């Protein structure tokens, strides 16, 4: 840890994050009929090797001096946390016109100070002086740690507040690997972590997805029989890295149905905005990729994915990475408006904002195939509150895989799996199901897809509030 502390000290001497917080304050935000009563800041946190990570920080609408500080990271890898800000649980939600913001009554900053970080460099408005954006899990966790330290150097008044680390999707890797560093730093008041629809284990995610697809009526008896015949033996199935050719062919059929047939992989029962589109297409001379490549990563036929996509990308001047069945046009229009960029103090060195960076995603080094070690380290401390939650109709990181993962940690059960309730506009409703262990809980959100606060904002807020306040779910 001496090296880390020294690094932070040297960064401060070299002018890392040299702009005072007052210069980062957002005085006027376009698109709002009325400016907020709470303070907000946007600027850059300078970390190692000339990298500058953009942040957008909104103070709590309740008691900012004592309310928790919550870090939020979206996933990808390579996707912007401003998507979480503008479409999930930020104080303002982008409207379809791409110019107007509406207040979100279920914003998480009604009870917490929320820090949205665009990470790694190359994502959103974050950039590197050398314009090189190849990175990996270890480097990202270190730079996220340094960014958090730099934020608290600029905003020391929040250094004593309870700190929670939260994220979504590939945040399932980002958050526990960051927490492993943060828990070793006594100056940081870490209290807990929460991961939504997270990638916790490639193997469990892949294996569970086949069952999820079959029992949701997607596969049919012929394919299911083939999968059972060629991928299973002794009562155990391996759809993850099975070397048998017939198994690989059957799993390839599953992947096509789930990811390439036109289903919304982020919410099985939601339509696909803009209609069904191919995973790869050329539009106006630009290669558009609608595939984040997080599933079935160990199969031979997907090992070639990055190589194939790099080959395709090399023949085009521009490559765009759009998550399938999402509509990022309103956010694109808003964040690339020059008046908005000025209001948010965006550097002229930053690229145009896109929801996900193809360069970061295609050149990203995935070093962790599961994060079991990190969770066990957190749980062994016996003081952190840990929540793993999943929308139960997501297929990108399905609930069953994360439930298997939490079960595999072998923690003592405190509360058996049961429904959890929340108060909606039409009375008390079942939010989903929860199982609680000593210091970790697994929770589902009924009828929600990958982006839980977007699909079920009231239930998501109830869950988030109970998590922060250490209340029973």
């Amino acid at each position: 840890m001496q090296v880390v502390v020294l690094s932070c000290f040297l960064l401060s001497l070299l002018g890392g994050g040299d702009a005072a917080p007052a210069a980062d304050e957002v005085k006027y935000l376009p698109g709002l009929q009325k400016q907020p009563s709470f303070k907000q800041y946007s600027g850059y946190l300078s970390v190692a090797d000339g990298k500058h990570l953009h942040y957008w920080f909104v103070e709590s609408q309740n008691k900012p001096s004592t309310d928790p500080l919550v870090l939020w990271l979206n996933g990808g890898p390579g996707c912007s946390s401003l998507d979480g800000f503008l479409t999930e649980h930020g104080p303002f939600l982008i409207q379809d016109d791409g110019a107007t913001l509406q207040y979100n009554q279920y914003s998480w900053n009604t009870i917490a100070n929320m820090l949205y970080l665009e990470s790694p460099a190359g994502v959103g408005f974050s950039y590197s002086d050398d314009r090189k954006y190849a990175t990996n899990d270890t480097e990202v966790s270190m730079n996220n740690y340094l960014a958090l330290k730099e934020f608290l150097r600029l905003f020391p008044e929040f250094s004593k507040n309870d700190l929670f680390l939260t994220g979504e999707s590939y945040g399932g890797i980002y958050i526990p690997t960051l927490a492993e560093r943060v828990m070793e730093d006594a100056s940081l008041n870490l209290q807990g972590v929460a991961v939504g629809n997270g990638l916790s284990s490639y193997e469990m995610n892949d294996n569970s997805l086949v069952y999820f697809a079959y029992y949701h009526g997607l596969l049919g008896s012929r394919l299911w029989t083939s999968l059972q015949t060629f991928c299973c033996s002794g009562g155990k199935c391996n759809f993850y890295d099975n070397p048998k050719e017939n198994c690989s062919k059957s799993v390839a059929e599953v992947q096509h149905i789930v990811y390439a047939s036109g289903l919304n992989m982020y919410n099985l029962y939601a339509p696909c905005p803009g209609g069904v589109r191919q995973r790869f297409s050329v539009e106006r001379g630009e290669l558009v990729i609608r595939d984040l490549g997080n599933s079935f990563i160990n199969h031979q036929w997907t090992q070639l994915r990055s190589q194939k996509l790099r080959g395709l990308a090399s023949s085009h001047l521009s490559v765009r990475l759009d998550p399938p069945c999402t509509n990022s046009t309103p956010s694109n229009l808003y964040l690339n408006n020059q008046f908005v960029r000025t209001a948010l103090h965006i550097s002229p060195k930053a690229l145009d904002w896109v929801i996900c960076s193809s360069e970061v995603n295609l050149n990203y080094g995935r070093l962790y195939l599961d994060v079991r070690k990190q969770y066990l380290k957190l749980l062994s401390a016996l003081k952190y509150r840990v929540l793993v939650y999943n929308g139960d109709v997501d297929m990108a990181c399905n609930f069953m895989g994360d439930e298997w993962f939490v079960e595999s940690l072998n923690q003592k059960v405190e509360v058996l799996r049961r429904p959890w309730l929340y108060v909606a506009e039409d009375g008390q409703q079942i939010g989903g199901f929860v199982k609680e262990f000593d210091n970790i809980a697994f929770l589902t959100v009924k009828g929600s897809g990958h982006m839980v606060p977007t699909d079920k904002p009231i239930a998501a807020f109830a869950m988030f509030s109970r998590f922060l306040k250490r209340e029973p779910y």
Side-chain angles (χ1 to χ4, degrees), residues 49 54 90 96 188 219 310 350 385 395:
D49 302 320
H54 173 248
D96 289 342
L188 297 174
L219 305 187
R310 287 193 198 101
R385 185 163 168 86
M395 296 190 292

PDB file of all heavy atoms in Angstrom, residues 49 54 90 96 188 219 310 350 385 395:
ATOM      1  N   ASP A  49      -0.526   7.914 -15.494  1.00  0.00           N
ATOM      2  CA  ASP A  49      -0.127   7.876 -16.903  1.00  0.00           C
ATOM      3  C   ASP A  49      -0.920   8.825 -17.783  1.00  0.00           C
ATOM      4  O   ASP A  49      -1.288   8.487 -18.916  1.00  0.00           O
ATOM      5  CB  ASP A  49      -0.240   6.449 -17.459  1.00  0.00           C
ATOM      6  CG  ASP A  49       0.606   5.455 -16.666  1.00  0.00           C
ATOM      7  OD1 ASP A  49       1.727   5.826 -16.282  1.00  0.00           O
ATOM      8  OD2 ASP A  49       0.126   4.332 -16.419  1.00  0.00           O
ATOM      9  N   HIS A  54     -13.589  11.520 -16.407  1.00  0.00           N
ATOM     10  CA  HIS A  54     -14.658  12.489 -16.194  1.00  0.00           C
ATOM     11  C   HIS A  54     -15.614  12.003 -15.106  1.00  0.00           C
ATOM     12  O   HIS A  54     -15.968  10.827 -15.057  1.00  0.00           O
ATOM     13  CB  HIS A  54     -15.438  12.722 -17.494  1.00  0.00           C
ATOM     14  CG  HIS A  54     -16.650  13.587 -17.299  1.00  0.00           C
ATOM     15  ND1 HIS A  54     -17.943  13.114 -17.428  1.00  0.00           N
ATOM     16  CD2 HIS A  54     -16.761  14.889 -16.943  1.00  0.00           C
ATOM     17  CE1 HIS A  54     -18.784  14.088 -17.180  1.00  0.00           C
ATOM     18  NE2 HIS A  54     -18.104  15.176 -16.877  1.00  0.00           N
ATOM     19  N   GLY A  90     -30.313   8.792 -12.017  1.00  0.00           N
ATOM     20  CA  GLY A  90     -29.843  10.144 -11.783  1.00  0.00           C
ATOM     21  C   GLY A  90     -30.995  11.086 -11.489  1.00  0.00           C
ATOM     22  O   GLY A  90     -32.164  10.738 -11.653  1.00  0.00           O
ATOM     23  N   ASP A  96     -37.089  11.977 -24.965  1.00  0.00           N
ATOM     24  CA  ASP A  96     -36.898  11.471 -26.322  1.00  0.00           C
ATOM     25  C   ASP A  96     -36.397  12.527 -27.304  1.00  0.00           C
ATOM     26  O   ASP A  96     -35.799  12.181 -28.330  1.00  0.00           O
ATOM     27  CB  ASP A  96     -38.205  10.871 -26.853  1.00  0.00           C
ATOM     28  CG  ASP A  96     -38.569   9.565 -26.167  1.00  0.00           C
ATOM     29  OD1 ASP A  96     -37.667   8.955 -25.550  1.00  0.00           O
ATOM     30  OD2 ASP A  96     -39.747   9.164 -26.236  1.00  0.00           O
ATOM     31  N   LEU A 188     -10.404   5.475   3.798  1.00  0.00           N
ATOM     32  CA  LEU A 188     -11.674   5.423   3.094  1.00  0.00           C
ATOM     33  C   LEU A 188     -12.696   4.673   3.937  1.00  0.00           C
ATOM     34  O   LEU A 188     -12.439   3.567   4.404  1.00  0.00           O
ATOM     35  CB  LEU A 188     -11.500   4.730   1.731  1.00  0.00           C
ATOM     36  CG  LEU A 188     -10.562   5.450   0.752  1.00  0.00           C
ATOM     37  CD1 LEU A 188     -10.339   4.607  -0.496  1.00  0.00           C
ATOM     38  CD2 LEU A 188     -11.120   6.814   0.371  1.00  0.00           C
ATOM     39  N   LEU A 219     -36.052 -22.354 -26.519  1.00  0.00           N
ATOM     40  CA  LEU A 219     -35.216 -23.331 -27.208  1.00  0.00           C
ATOM     41  C   LEU A 219     -35.983 -24.459 -27.895  1.00  0.00           C
ATOM     42  O   LEU A 219     -35.589 -24.890 -28.974  1.00  0.00           O
ATOM     43  CB  LEU A 219     -34.197 -23.936 -26.232  1.00  0.00           C
ATOM     44  CG  LEU A 219     -33.301 -22.949 -25.495  1.00  0.00           C
ATOM     45  CD1 LEU A 219     -32.232 -23.699 -24.713  1.00  0.00           C
ATOM     46  CD2 LEU A 219     -32.654 -21.949 -26.448  1.00  0.00           C
ATOM     47  N   ARG A 310     -11.811  -6.832 -34.982  1.00  0.00           N
ATOM     48  CA  ARG A 310     -10.703  -5.934 -35.302  1.00  0.00           C
ATOM     49  C   ARG A 310     -10.442  -5.928 -36.802  1.00  0.00           C
ATOM     50  O   ARG A 310     -10.103  -4.900 -37.385  1.00  0.00           O
ATOM     51  CB  ARG A 310      -9.438  -6.357 -34.542  1.00  0.00           C
ATOM     52  CG  ARG A 310      -9.477  -6.036 -33.052  1.00  0.00           C
ATOM     53  CD  ARG A 310      -8.093  -6.184 -32.430  1.00  0.00           C
ATOM     54  NE  ARG A 310      -8.189  -6.294 -30.993  1.00  0.00           N
ATOM     55  CZ  ARG A 310      -8.114  -7.434 -30.325  1.00  0.00           C
ATOM     56  NH1 ARG A 310      -7.925  -8.561 -30.981  1.00  0.00           N
ATOM     57  NH2 ARG A 310      -8.198  -7.462 -29.012  1.00  0.00           N
ATOM     58  N   ALA A 350     -11.528  15.750 -25.172  1.00  0.00           N
ATOM     59  CA  ALA A 350     -12.457  14.615 -25.100  1.00  0.00           C
ATOM     60  C   ALA A 350     -13.080  14.368 -26.468  1.00  0.00           C
ATOM     61  O   ALA A 350     -13.330  15.292 -27.243  1.00  0.00           O
ATOM     62  CB  ALA A 350     -13.543  14.888 -24.071  1.00  0.00           C
ATOM     63  N   ARG A 385     -21.629  -4.452   4.154  1.00  0.00           N
ATOM     64  CA  ARG A 385     -22.939  -4.898   3.663  1.00  0.00           C
ATOM     65  C   ARG A 385     -22.825  -5.105   2.155  1.00  0.00           C
ATOM     66  O   ARG A 385     -22.442  -4.183   1.426  1.00  0.00           O
ATOM     67  CB  ARG A 385     -23.995  -3.851   3.984  1.00  0.00           C
ATOM     68  CG  ARG A 385     -25.442  -4.249   3.631  1.00  0.00           C
ATOM     69  CD  ARG A 385     -26.376  -3.316   4.373  1.00  0.00           C
ATOM     70  NE  ARG A 385     -27.767  -3.362   3.962  1.00  0.00           N
ATOM     71  CZ  ARG A 385     -28.680  -4.209   4.425  1.00  0.00           C
ATOM     72  NH1 ARG A 385     -28.310  -5.143   5.284  1.00  0.00           N
ATOM     73  NH2 ARG A 385     -29.944  -4.132   4.041  1.00  0.00           N
ATOM     74  N   MET A 395     -31.144 -11.297 -19.885  1.00  0.00           N
ATOM     75  CA  MET A 395     -30.399 -12.442 -20.407  1.00  0.00           C
ATOM     76  C   MET A 395     -28.909 -12.131 -20.562  1.00  0.00           C
ATOM     77  O   MET A 395     -28.119 -13.026 -20.845  1.00  0.00           O
ATOM     78  CB  MET A 395     -30.975 -12.891 -21.749  1.00  0.00           C
ATOM     79  CG  MET A 395     -32.393 -13.400 -21.647  1.00  0.00           C
ATOM     80  SD  MET A 395     -32.987 -14.206 -23.157  1.00  0.00           S
ATOM     81  CE  MET A 395     -33.065 -12.827 -24.289  1.00  0.00           C
TER      82      MET A 395
END
